[in-house]
Amino acid sequence: MTAAQGNLWTLTAGPLPDTAPLDGDLHVDLAVIGGGFTGLSAALHAAEAGLSVVAIEAEQVGFGGSGRNVGLVNAGLWLPPGEVARIMGAEAGARLNMALSGGPSLVFDLIEKHQIRCEAVRQGTLHCAHSPKGFAELETRCAQLQGIGAPVSLIGAEEARRRTGSAQVHGALFDPRAGTIQPRAYAVGLARAAMAAGARIVQGARAAGVVYRDDLWQMHVGGHRVTADALIEGTNAYGSARDRYTKMFFFQMATDPLPPALLADILPGGEGCWDTALVMTSFRRDAAGRVIIGSVGSLDHAGSGLHRAWARRKMEALYPQLKGVALAHEWYGTIATTGDHLPRVLRLGPRGYAVFGYSGRGIGTGTLFGRALAGAVVSGREDGLPVTPDDSYSEGFTAAKAAYYETGALAAHGAEMLRGL
């Protein structure tokens, strides 16, 4: 395997939207920084509401976490709803939990409305118990989700093994609201939809020197001056404000398309999966019949060979019929996680917002927060936001915590292999 085989999503997303660099100074109602799920959703919904919009992406649309995502369209956060309410308080927690429960419907409705070709499969997800203890944790999570009206259900070990095709699972929590997509293709589709609604997208240019002055947001983009009445920053883990969140890395590896006979018992219902392990494993299929496995960790350092070895062993443990099948693609991305694993909206100034901290739940959450921030800019009201904005926010020791996460993932993967997985 070589790095040239790279990110599967980049290779299969289709052509990028045809955009042009700025050819002069520009004034708009709304400037959006970041061409991922959040920024593109904000640009789309603001343009549909009649605002003039420019979305500025330093690389290409979907370059960051949006194009490196697992592609699971989940409802809610990594935290169970009871923990969200405990941290935020009952009223604020209920507001966020209720908003995010609609994330998958928003995503799949946008895909249908704009005919986005992104391998969308809404067959639900399976949160798989990696052990009997993991199943007990799922029982608690299920009760909390059902308590807020989520249509989830627990399935026992025998049924979970039939639906995943793996003897390694000990039951699962099924969420029919959820599904899978090709995440970079979804980002590209959002960009095309935003452009069709009248938004302008600039790729390959960084917004520099962003400041609020003389009642306008001002910045320099590609040698030109851009001014805007409002600003939304949606760069999340790929922004420059390193003290807002801790970076966590997540890698994925994928096979080449497999023959039907080999795939017959592997996730025959098309669900996407992740497990209850502290250092979680994700596994799914794509439309072409590739098996994709992922976990916490980076692939850019000398010790990352351990992650690669673990991935091959883990895939074969889940699906012994894949023994000897090569993992032909590999990539990793960066997740922004806050200390309490809750997303934040930060007021940057008058009609200026930044949002970050999805903690690995970027598709539904980013799409939803992007729409909500566009609504706040259009209406001048913040009561439609899923969380109350902060006037300031920072975290300490973020580099040390990032190193801790990576070291912990290496240790967990090493320990799993020593135990024979």
Side-chain angles (χ1 to χ4, degrees):
M1 179 167 43
T2 66
Q5 291 166 302
N7 186 341
L8 173 66
W9 306 139
T10 301
L11 296 173
T12 61
L16 292 168
D18 186 14
T19 62
L22 293 181
D23 55 4
D25 293 347
L26 179 69
H27 175 77
V28 290
D29 297 322
L30 171 65
V32 176
I33 301 176
F37 302 138
T38 302
L40 295 170
S41 176
L44 168 61
H45 288 98
E48 287 183 331
L51 270 60
S52 58
V53 181
V54 63
I56 303 155
E57 166 55 50
E59 301 290 343
Q60 305 89 32
V61 294
F63 171 84
S66 297
R68 302 161 194 263
N69 197 283
V70 176
L72 303 184
V73 187
N74 286 305
L77 298 170
W78 178 78
L79 294 175
E83 185 68 5
V84 173
R86 185 192 68 78
I87 295 170
M88 300 183 70
E91 184 176 346
R95 172 182 165 193
L96 179 58
N97 285 326
M98 182 60 67
L100 292 180
S101 69
S105 288
L106 173 60
V107 170
F108 287 108
D109 286 349
L110 288 172
I111 290 169
E112 175 65 24
K113 176 181 178 181
H114 299 288
Q115 292 297 289
I116 299 174
R117 300 180 64 180
C118 61
E119 303 180 15
V121 177
R122 198 174 189 183
Q123 293 291 88
T125 54
L126 294 167
H127 190 178
C128 298
H130 77 294
S131 67
K133 180 182 177 182
F135 189 74
E137 294 170 0
L138 290 180
E139 289 179 314
T140 300
R141 185 182 287 261
C142 182
Q144 292 183 12
L145 285 165
Q146 290 177 341
I148 64 169
V152 300
S153 59
L154 275 177
I155 59 176
E158 183 178 354
E159 176 68 6
R161 288 166 182 166
R162 184 190 69 80
R163 290 171 69 166
T164 61
S166 176
Q168 294 287 303
V169 301
H170 297 262
L173 176 63
F174 175 63
D175 189 341
R177 299 170 295 177
T180 62
I181 59 172
Q182 207 281 29
R184 180 128 193 202
Y186 173 58
V188 169
L190 284 179
R192 295 188 189 282
M195 293 169 68
R200 181 167 186 177
I201 295 178
V202 177
Q203 300 181 91
R206 190 173 301 276
V210 180
V211 65
Y212 186 77
R213 182 183 298 131
D214 299 329
D215 298 325
L216 290 173
W217 288 98
Q218 305 182 28
M219 64 205 76
H220 294 282
V221 179
H224 301 286
R225 182 171 179 261
V226 173
T227 58
D229 298 319
L231 174 73
I232 295 173
E233 180 194 303
T235 53
N236 204 21
Y238 288 77
S240 59
R242 307 302 188 197
D243 64 339
R244 294 179 186 167
Y245 51 80
T246 297
K247 288 185 175 183
M248 179 186 290
F249 301 100
F250 198 93
F251 71 90
Q252 295 178 80
M253 304 179 77
T255 68
D256 280 328
L258 300 176
L262 204 53
L263 280 171
D265 297 325
I266 298 176
L267 295 167
E271 302 94 342
C273 303
W274 77 104
D275 70 12
T276 55
L278 181 62
V279 178
M280 62 163 275
T281 301
S282 64
F283 51 105
R284 57 163 297 192
R285 291 170 47 169
D286 76 347
R290 301 175 181 90
V291 172
I292 306 159
I293 186 165
S295 188
V296 177
S298 172
L299 299 179
D300 70 344
H301 55 78
S304 57
L306 179 59
H307 293 319
R308 294 180 175 92
W310 170 88
R312 287 188 286 273
R313 292 273 300 277
K314 186 69 173 182
M315 181 181 72
E316 293 172 359
L318 287 166
Y319 299 110
Q321 65 268 44
L322 299 185
K323 185 174 178 60
V325 172
L327 286 164
H329 302 270
E330 64 172 36
W331 67 101
Y332 74 98
T334 309
I335 294 170
T337 181
T338 59
D340 56 13
H341 302 291
L342 292 173
R344 293 292 192 287
V345 173
L346 178 64
R347 291 189 192 93
L348 300 175
R351 300 185 76 198
Y353 301 96
V355 59
F356 52 90
Y358 301 148
S359 296
R361 290 295 182 95
I363 300 175
T365 310
T367 304
L368 186 81
F369 270 72
R371 181 182 69 172
L373 286 166
V377 167
V378 170
S379 68
R381 299 171 58 92
E382 296 179 345
D383 51 0
L385 294 173
V387 297
T388 300
D390 296 307
D391 288 315
S392 63
Y393 184 82
S394 65
E395 297 192 359
F397 306 106
T398 55
K401 288 186 283 189
Y404 171 79
Y405 286 143
E406 182 63 22
T407 301
L410 287 166
H413 289 156
E416 273 197 81
M417 289 200 293
L418 286 174
R419 293 194 302 265
L421 296 172

